[in-house]
Amino acid sequence: MTVKPDVRPARAHFSSGPCAKRPGYDLSKLPTDSLGRSHRARIGKTRLKDAIDRTRAILGVPDDYRIGIVPASDTGAYEMAMWSLLGARPVTAIAWESFGEGWVTDAVKQLKLNPTVIKADYGVLPDLSAIDQASDILFTWNGTTSGVRVPGADWISDGREGLTLCDATSAAFAQDLPFAKLDVVTFSWQKVLGGEGAHGILILSPRAVARLESHTPAWPLPKIFRLTKGGKLIEGIFEGETINTPSMLAVEDYLDALRWAESIGGRPALFARADANAAALNAWVDRTPWASNLAVDPATRSNTSVCIRIDGPAELPKAMASLLEKEGVAFDINGYRDAPPSLRIWCGATVDTADIEALIPWLDWAYATAKEA
């Protein structure tokens, strides 16, 4: 029988969404004076605007970009952008994992836009140089279910005619987002900063706003997707006046995460923590003969959702994940249901590198134990 390691991770939360809370998180410390109040009262709007302003400062969002808090997590934010902006130009939809495939499905089957679809298998990127820059481009920055990210934005032309719609939900706060290349950026609180679910962030460039105010979609827009009124942007959405009722408890939780991010040094510190976590895990992958990174090209490997192939029967990763959960040393690390059999270990900034290092011997133990069974 394989001997269990002596050291356990202090926090066993390695889920890729919702993600680990920040170090030292304490629910009882959250302000509660906004609870039970109208989100349209001064206190609610002030807290929502504070969340927007802190998001702008930490991410380095340009002053002329709008930031809104919208319903239904990253999915709601991205579909709001698709339904509101698309139809004026040809569309190119790029997919190399599950969430990108979802946006392809929306463009093809729901909006019926007849897009150019560019796909790649899990683990690799498609040829980004072949993309028509006159089209509107749909893509994910970091493939959460494959661990494959774009290696920068040089493939996006500064002189593009179309809009770029970027799903950045597992990249924001961990990877550099060059906003000059991005016209729509979406993410959800429950990813990199470990916030609570159900809310999304929608960031719009001036070019995206101009499209909103000049283009009327051919399809009906439900109220929850409407960003304009009388042909003009509803500015209140980007000042803390949400379309529907938000959870103020979730807002307070997000503000707590943002304050923590500020306290450790902001964006550079968040990037450094994620990089250190991924480096520790990938060093183990590199020295382990039965493990390999699902992302084939090191330049495209995620520093948040690290996906690991395990040599052996297809059921082996799931068996390992189950053993580790029973031991209380790693929760929710089985690969995504649509991905190849794998482990998916979150390395974002709210995870401590010491916990990644403590987990590694347990991965060896789980592999040996599952093989013996």
Coordinates of all heavy atoms in Angstrom, one line a residue, residues 5 49 84 97 149 151 159 176 199 222 258 274 276 281 285 343 353 368:
P5 N 1.1 11.0 2.0 CA 2.0 12.1 2.4 C 1.7 12.7 3.8 O 0.6 12.6 4.3 CB 1.8 13.2 1.3 CG 1.3 12.4 0.2 CD 0.4 11.3 0.8
K49 N -21.0 51.1 -7.9 CA -20.0 52.0 -8.5 C -18.6 51.8 -8.0 O -17.6 51.8 -8.8 CB -20.4 53.4 -8.4 CG -19.6 54.4 -9.1 CD -19.6 54.2 -10.6 CE -19.1 55.5 -11.3 NZ -17.7 55.9 -10.9
S84 N -26.6 42.0 -28.8 CA -26.7 43.4 -29.0 C -25.9 44.0 -30.1 O -26.2 44.9 -30.8 CB -26.4 44.1 -27.7 OG -27.3 43.8 -26.7
E97 N -12.2 24.8 -27.3 CA -12.6 24.1 -26.0 C -14.1 24.4 -25.8 O -14.7 25.1 -26.7 CB -11.8 24.5 -24.8 CG -11.7 26.0 -24.6 CD -12.7 26.6 -23.7 OE1 -12.9 26.1 -22.6 OE2 -13.4 27.6 -24.1
R149 N -4.4 29.1 -23.8 CA -4.7 30.5 -23.9 C -4.0 31.1 -25.1 O -3.1 30.5 -25.6 CB -4.3 31.2 -22.7 CG -2.8 31.2 -22.4 CD -2.4 32.1 -21.2 NE -1.0 32.0 -20.9 CZ -0.4 32.6 -19.8 NH1 -1.2 33.3 -19.0 NH2 0.9 32.5 -19.6
P151 N -1.5 33.4 -26.9 CA -0.2 34.0 -26.5 C -0.1 35.4 -26.8 O 0.8 35.8 -27.6 CB 0.8 33.1 -27.2 CG 0.1 32.7 -28.5 CD -1.3 32.6 -28.2
G159 N -5.8 48.0 -37.1 CA -6.7 48.6 -38.1 C -7.9 47.8 -38.4 O -8.5 48.0 -39.5
D176 N -2.4 39.4 -18.8 CA -2.5 40.7 -19.3 C -3.5 40.8 -20.5 O -3.4 40.1 -21.5 CB -1.1 41.2 -19.9 CG -1.1 42.6 -20.3 OD1 -1.8 43.5 -19.6 OD2 -0.5 42.9 -21.3
H199 N -23.2 36.9 -11.3 CA -23.0 38.3 -11.8 C -21.9 38.2 -12.8 O -20.9 37.5 -12.6 CB -22.7 39.3 -10.7 CG -23.8 39.4 -9.7 ND1 -24.0 38.5 -8.7 CD2 -24.8 40.3 -9.6 CE1 -25.1 38.8 -8.0 NE2 -25.6 39.9 -8.5
P222 N -34.5 40.6 -25.4 CA -35.2 40.6 -24.1 C -34.7 41.7 -23.3 O -33.6 42.3 -23.5 CB -34.8 39.2 -23.5 CG -33.5 38.8 -24.2 CD -33.6 39.4 -25.6
L258 N -11.5 42.5 -4.2 CA -10.8 43.6 -4.9 C -9.9 44.4 -3.9 O -8.8 44.7 -4.2 CB -11.8 44.6 -5.5 CG -12.6 44.1 -6.7 CD1 -13.8 45.0 -7.0 CD2 -11.7 43.9 -7.9
A274 N -0.3 33.8 -9.6 CA -0.8 32.8 -10.5 C 0.4 32.1 -11.3 O 0.4 30.9 -11.4 CB -1.8 33.4 -11.5
A276 N 3.4 31.8 -10.2 CA 4.2 30.9 -9.3 C 3.4 29.6 -9.1 O 4.1 28.5 -9.0 CB 4.4 31.6 -8.0
L281 N 3.3 23.7 -10.3 CA 2.6 22.5 -10.8 C 3.2 22.0 -12.1 O 3.4 20.7 -12.3 CB 1.1 22.8 -11.1 CG 0.2 21.7 -11.4 CD1 0.2 20.6 -10.4 CD2 -1.3 22.2 -11.6
V285 N 4.7 18.3 -13.4 CA 4.3 17.6 -14.7 C 5.5 17.3 -15.5 O 5.6 16.1 -16.0 CB 3.4 18.5 -15.5 CG1 3.1 18.0 -16.9 CG2 2.0 18.7 -14.7
L343 N -7.0 15.9 -15.3 CA -7.2 16.6 -14.1 C -7.2 18.1 -14.4 O -6.4 18.5 -15.3 CB -6.2 16.3 -13.1 CG -6.1 14.8 -12.6 CD1 -4.9 14.6 -11.6 CD2 -7.4 14.4 -11.9
T353 N 0.8 29.2 -3.2 CA 1.8 28.2 -3.8 C 2.1 27.1 -2.9 O 2.3 26.0 -3.3 CB 3.0 29.0 -4.2 OG1 2.7 30.1 -5.1 CG2 4.0 28.1 -4.9
A368 N -0.7 6.2 -7.7 CA -0.3 4.9 -7.3 C -1.4 4.1 -6.7 O -1.6 2.9 -7.0 CB 0.9 5.0 -6.4

